[in-house]
Amino acid sequence: MANIPDISDEEQNELYEHHAFRVVAGQQPLRIDKYLMNFIENATRNKIQAAAKDGSIFVNDVPVKSNYKVKPNDYITVKFEHPPHENLLIAEDLPIDVVYEDDDLLVVNKPAGMVVHPGHGNYSGTLINGLIFHFENLPNNSSERPGLVHRIDKDTSGLLVVAKTEHAMAHLSNQFAKKTSEREYVALVWGNMEEDEGTIEGNIGRHPKNRLQNTVFLDDEEEQGKPAVTHYKVIERLGYVTLVSCKLETGRTHQIRVHMKHIGHTLFNDERYGGERILKGTTFTKYKQFVDNCFKILPRQALHAKTLGFVHPTTGEFMRFESEIPEDIAQCVEKWRHYAKHMD
């Protein structure tokens, strides 16, 4: 018999964890391929089934097939032989709309559709891919993302500040953490808001049944989320929708989208939170055609980061930047404005 050499752990193919989930206590039995579709962005059922077939999906550290039915408190991991792509940053010559730049920082106006940093399903074409091409030696934040002080969602347009030095990163990040920065968004939401202005408070955390969504946790469940405060003010009432200004006191993921849905005013055409359906209005066919046309003009959630203010980390000067409402939102608002006049 031939001698078979021992293979040390270091020489075996190392598996890198790409995703990890703990199944909630109230989960009903569900095939793992269907379950993971709610937790992994841009993943199709075929891709999930292929990963299971390759032995890449584990439940409590044991590989399972795609027909495995998840149970409460199962610990699910997805592991591959290559590290997550988001850890492999590639510089790309991408156009970046720089509103302001000096030796410490730059302010960029991000278009809708551009992802801020690489993640599952979006490994190239992100703002960070463009930043590391145009700017050398950007400091990493606490998540190892070069230059990034804060972020906005892929389909949200508007202003971001990027740090160019370690000092600027620390100083600006501290402002965001201490809620001294100024951030104002413009949003078009479903429904006619009762109050002209108000404040929404409610802890925000990951939705227990859909990891791609966040939700508000109140009362006994509030510890499942982090404190979040949004101040809103009506800009214009347009019949079945309202144009509002939202100022963030905190910066939770999807904060405005989650808070607005929580008070019954989901963002217009926000597919992830149900705003791509007709939530207010009539049953007339012409109205449905009108709304469908608005969706085509604005094929994303109606949210724009309009104002950004902060203290400059070196000069101590308070700086405020404004970004015009982009054409897709402006055109959609104009159509609703015209519709509201005819309603009256």
Side-chain angles (χ1 to χ4, degrees), residues 24 26-28 35 38-39 206-212:
V24 296
Q27 175 66 47
Q28 297 297 311
Y35 178 85
N38 287 326
F39 286 78
R206 191 74 73 180
H207 196 293
K209 294 187 177 179
N210 187 341
R211 193 174 171 82
L212 302 183

Side-chain angles (χ1 to χ4, degrees), residues 171-190:
H171 196 284
L172 291 166
S173 297
N174 190 49
Q175 291 183 57
F176 278 79
K178 290 188 174 180
K179 309 171 189 174
T180 58
S181 60
E182 179 183 339
R183 284 169 290 170
E184 179 194 5
Y185 291 69
V186 171
L188 187 68
V189 302
W190 280 107

Side-chain angles (χ1 to χ4, degrees), residues 29-71:
L30 182 66
R31 281 178 58 116
I32 196 166
D33 53 356
K34 288 186 176 180
Y35 178 85
L36 287 177
M37 286 180 68
N38 287 326
F39 286 78
I40 302 178
E41 190 170 5
N42 299 325
T44 64
R45 194 171 175 187
N46 285 341
K47 287 181 179 178
I48 294 171
Q49 289 174 343
K53 189 175 181 180
D54 291 340
S56 299
I57 297 179
F58 298 77
V59 175
N60 304 321
D61 292 324
V62 177
V64 298
K65 298 301 181 185
S66 56
N67 62 354
Y68 173 85
K69 291 191 175 180
V70 300
K71 300 186 294 293

Side-chain angles (χ1 to χ4, degrees), residues 189-191 238-241 268 277-295 335-336 339-340 343:
V189 302
W190 280 107
L238 301 164
Y240 300 124
V241 296
F268 186 78
R277 301 189 301 272
I278 295 177
L279 300 182
K280 299 290 180 181
T282 74
T283 57
F284 297 138
T285 302
K286 282 189 174 181
Y287 176 70
K288 182 180 183 301
Q289 291 173 342
F290 165 77
V291 175
D292 285 342
N293 286 334
C294 289
F295 286 157
K335 281 186 72 71
W336 276 104
Y339 184 88
M343 276 180 61

Side-chain angles (χ1 to χ4, degrees), residues 38-41 204-217 253-254 257-258 261 270-277:
N38 287 326
F39 286 78
I40 302 178
E41 190 170 5
I204 290 178
R206 191 74 73 180
H207 196 293
K209 294 187 177 179
N210 187 341
R211 193 174 171 82
L212 302 183
Q213 289 187 4
N214 282 350
T215 191
V216 172
F217 292 98
T253 300
H254 299 174
R257 301 164 71 183
V258 173
K261 179 174 182 176
D270 188 349
E271 184 176 359
R272 183 165 297 187
Y273 289 94
E276 86 287 9
R277 301 189 301 272

Side-chain angles (χ1 to χ4, degrees), residues 60-256:
N60 304 321
D61 292 324
V62 177
V64 298
K65 298 301 181 185
S66 56
N67 62 354
Y68 173 85
K69 291 191 175 180
V70 300
K71 300 186 294 293
N73 297 315
D74 274 349
Y75 185 66
I76 302 172
T77 52
V78 182
K79 301 178 181 180
F80 296 103
E81 292 182 3
H82 59 86
H85 286 87
E86 50 263 45
N87 295 344
L88 307 174
L89 292 177
I90 300 170
E92 296 179 75
D93 186 4
L94 302 172
I96 297 176
D97 182 5
V98 178
V99 176
Y100 172 84
E101 181 186 0
D102 61 27
D103 291 340
D104 297 285
L105 58 88
L106 60 142
V107 175
V108 301
N109 192 22
K110 187 190 82 67
M114 176 181 260
V115 177
V116 171
H117 58 76
H120 185 81
N122 297 288
Y123 304 124
S124 64
T126 75
L127 179 63
I128 282 186
N129 293 117
L131 286 173
I132 62 175
F133 179 91
H134 293 288
F135 304 95
E136 295 182 357
N137 302 319
L138 290 175
N140 283 340
N141 65 10
S142 58
S143 301
E144 301 298 314
R145 289 168 178 156
L148 212 60
V149 178
H150 62 125
R151 60 178 290 274
I152 56 179
D153 299 328
K154 172 186 175 182
D155 289 325
T156 299
S157 53
L159 298 173
L160 284 164
V161 61
V162 175
K164 294 172 69 176
T165 67
E166 296 284 355
H167 171 69
M169 175 65 76
H171 196 284
L172 291 166
S173 297
N174 190 49
Q175 291 183 57
F176 278 79
K178 290 188 174 180
K179 309 171 189 174
T180 58
S181 60
E182 179 183 339
R183 284 169 290 170
E184 179 194 5
Y185 291 69
V186 171
L188 187 68
V189 302
W190 280 107
N192 186 11
M193 302 190 78
E194 290 183 13
E195 305 295 332
D196 287 337
E197 56 186 279
T199 297
I200 309 165
E201 297 186 59
N203 287 17
I204 290 178
R206 191 74 73 180
H207 196 293
K209 294 187 177 179
N210 187 341
R211 193 174 171 82
L212 302 183
Q213 289 187 4
N214 282 350
T215 191
V216 172
F217 292 98
L218 299 172
D219 303 324
D220 294 340
E221 296 183 328
E222 67 178 13
E223 290 184 0
Q224 297 183 48
K226 294 181 179 179
V229 181
T230 305
H231 306 284
Y232 70 86
K233 190 172 185 177
V234 170
I235 298 173
E236 188 174 0
R237 300 179 186 278
L238 301 164
Y240 300 124
V241 296
T242 305
L243 190 66
V244 295
S245 161
C246 296
K247 289 191 175 182
L248 295 184
E249 192 171 305
T250 52
R252 308 303 175 202
T253 300
H254 299 174
Q255 179 170 319
I256 293 172

